[in-house]
Amino acid sequence: GAVVSQHPSRVICKSGTSVKIECRSLDFQATTMFWYRQFPKQSLMLMATSNEGSKATYEQGVEKDKFLINHASLTLSTLTVTSAHPEDSSFYICSAPLTGKNIQYFGAGTRLSVL
Amino acid sequence: QKEVEQDPGPLSVPEGAIVSLNCTYSNSAFQYFMWYRQYSRKGPELLMYTYSSGNKEDGRFTAQVDKSSKYISLFIRDSQPSDSATYLCAMSAYYGNNRLAFGKGNQVVVIP
């Protein structure tokens, strides 16, 4: 079946550094991908919609300069957490809709811990 | 009123029991209904996908959609300890708008 690959699965970094998370659609192309953040025992919170060939669309309250999104190709979107701080520690998940169907497949998630 | 309501209360059942989960929603434009299973520290995994009203069965899982009542259900028969996870309902309005509205998720524990 359709698979979305997300890398890395775990990141521990020092405060002030930048962290890049990759999301790849395998076996299908995705002109749109989605980035979510999930706090413990909470549902997924949509951060932004990544659009291939154009700027990402950010949800209200999400800092564009803090969370840089680049959709470089039809199979790859990246989320860069810039100048990370402890409050950015969270579980980040990407998803991509299968071509021709209105369903989304999710990556395995990235657990970010900022010290 | 939130778009999707899902009682997040944890649910514990003995092995072999039927697990019944449900969500209600307010947006009558929703046409695509999904159930995801999420294990701890993992991304959600698509379990079932239904378009419009009706039932869909896949092995031990059955999804039901009642658009007239704006109510969807997921049933898990012969539950196993490996079914212990959080179950999220999700829905979207129409083809081309892939934005999903999620329920809060139900944590299910199947006790051996």
Side-chain angles (χ1 to χ4, degrees):
Chain A
V3 176
V4 172
S5 174
Q6 186 173 342
H7 177 81
S9 59
R10 183 82 165 94
V11 179
I12 302 173
C13 69
K14 292 182 178 180
S15 184
T17 60
S18 294
V19 174
K20 180 185 282 189
I21 304 170
E22 291 188 349
C23 182
R24 293 180 185 273
S25 58
L26 306 182
D27 301 326
F28 69 100
Q29 295 180 334
T31 56
T32 303
M33 292 185 180
F34 299 89
W35 287 96
Y36 296 86
R37 185 172 180 175
Q38 187 176 35
F39 294 101
K41 300 189 184 299
Q42 300 282 325
S43 190
L44 287 79
M45 181 185 75
L46 180 64
M47 298 174 64
T49 302
S50 173
N51 304 299
E52 190 270 335
S54 64
K55 292 182 178 180
T57 305
Y58 290 82
E59 295 301 301
Q60 190 173 8
V62 177
E63 298 177 58
K64 300 178 183 181
D65 296 332
K66 161 67 80 175
F67 300 102
L68 297 179
I69 291 173
N70 182 30
H71 200 133
S73 72
L74 287 171
T75 59
L76 173 64
S77 175
T78 60
L79 168 68
T80 301
V81 183
T82 62
S83 187
H85 290 283
E87 58 266 28
D88 299 324
S89 298
S90 191
F91 192 53
Y92 294 89
I93 311 172
C94 69
S95 73
L98 187 64
T99 305
K101 293 189 177 183
N102 204 28
I103 55 175
Q104 289 187 30
Y105 289 89
F106 287 84
T110 298
R111 186 161 302 279
L112 172 63
S113 298
V114 185
L115 305 178
Chain B
Q1 182 184 11
K2 290 189 176 181
E3 274 195 311
V4 180
E5 297 277 3
Q6 181 179 9
D7 184 354
L11 182 64
S12 293
V13 299
E15 183 175 356
I18 295 175
V19 175
S20 174
L21 305 170
N22 59 77
C23 291
T24 59
Y25 62 94
S26 59
N27 188 345
S28 58
F30 287 146
Q31 294 192 59
Y32 297 84
F33 304 92
M34 288 140 276
W35 285 95
Y36 290 90
R37 176 175 62 194
Q38 187 176 22
Y39 292 112
S40 181
R41 298 173 182 266
K42 296 291 185 184
E45 171 195 7
L46 181 66
L47 271 181
M48 304 282 288
Y49 163 52
T50 308
Y51 172 74
S52 193
S53 284
N55 297 350
K56 189 172 185 178
E57 190 172 318
D58 184 2
R60 296 184 296 110
F61 298 90
T62 299
Q64 293 182 348
V65 175
D66 182 348
K67 290 190 71 179
S68 63
S69 301
K70 297 190 179 66
Y71 186 92
I72 70 171
S73 302
L74 177 71
F75 300 97
I76 307 173
R77 292 183 299 280
D78 187 25
S79 57
Q80 304 294 310
S82 58
D83 295 327
S84 298
T86 296
Y87 291 82
L88 293 157
C89 65
M91 45 200 82
S92 64
Y94 52 87
Y95 177 78
N97 178 359
N98 300 115
R99 234 179 124 104
L100 296 182
F102 287 93
K104 285 190 173 182
N106 268 125
Q107 185 180 1
V108 173
V109 177
V110 181
I111 303 168

